[in-house]
């Protein structure tokens, strides 16, 4: 094991873990493999992440947070709430399709990890529905949406569009006509939120 001249950080460990997972898959990847990729002892990795489960949870959270980060800019944008809602839903669909299509092996690995992740997935869904609620609240404030409970409406929108972001539907995302189906669902959702 060659000594490393870079400071070992949690971020470096997570980057290396992602590469090890890509190479070995979740069943065979070990903390020793991560340490070897970094040129450190496995004890050094454990100083940052106390257990293998904690490391796997952290790498899953990092992966999910990338999507949340991409979408947060749309929430804060200056466009009309309806346009933001459409853009946000389209960006969520595009991000999930990109993850599934660009690196299918890593996507499959993360599906295994998200099944075992303690709180990361729940926190991710809460973050996404909170972002949606902020858009809906902005629409209520401008009079373009009517919603007595923006949080409940956000959860309903998230659930109604699940086919276009829930990873269990990933195989359908490349089917012919899926974009048209997505647009039809978004149009229905937006009409349902519009003020009379």
């Amino acid at each position: 094991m060659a000594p490393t001249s870079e400071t070992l950080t949690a971020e470096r460990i997570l980057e290396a873990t992602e590469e090890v997972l890509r190479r070995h898959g979740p069943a065979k990847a070990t903390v020793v493999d991560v340490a070897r990729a970094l040129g450190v002892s496995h004890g050094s990795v454990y100083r940052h992440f106390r257990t293998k489960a904690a490391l796997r949870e952290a790498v899953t959270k990092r992966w999910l947070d990338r999507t949340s980060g991409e979408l947060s800019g749309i929430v804060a944008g200056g466009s009309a709430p309806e346009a933001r809602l459409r853009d946000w839903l389209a960006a969520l669909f595009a991000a999930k399709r990109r993850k599934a299509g660009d690196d299918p092996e890593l996507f499959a690995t993360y599906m295994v990890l998200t099944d075992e992740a303690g709180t990361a997935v729940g926190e991710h869904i809460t973050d996404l529905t909170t972002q949606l609620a902020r858009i809906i609240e902005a629409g209520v404030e401008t009079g373009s949406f009517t919603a007595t409970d923006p949080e409940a409406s956000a959860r309903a929108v998230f659930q109604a569009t699940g086919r276009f972001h829930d990873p269990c539907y990933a195989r359908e995302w490349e089917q012919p006509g899926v974009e048209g189906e997505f647009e039809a669902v978004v149009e229905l959702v937006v009409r349902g939120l519009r003020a009379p």
Side-chain angles (χ1 to χ4, degrees), residues 1 4 11 13 30 63 66 78 80 97 109 113 121-122 165 193 196:
M1 196 169 0
T4 181
E11 186 62 23
I13 293 169
T30 68
W63 186 70
R66 287 184 195 134
R97 283 177 88 180
T109 293
L113 295 182
V121 174
H165 56 77
L193 287 170

Side-chain angles (χ1 to χ4, degrees), residues 7-27:
T7 303
L8 187 63
T9 64
E11 186 62 23
R12 279 193 59 228
I13 293 169
L14 294 175
E15 287 170 5
T17 302
E18 191 168 284
E19 280 306 310
V20 166
L21 286 166
R22 181 179 281 114
R23 211 169 341 155
H24 301 291

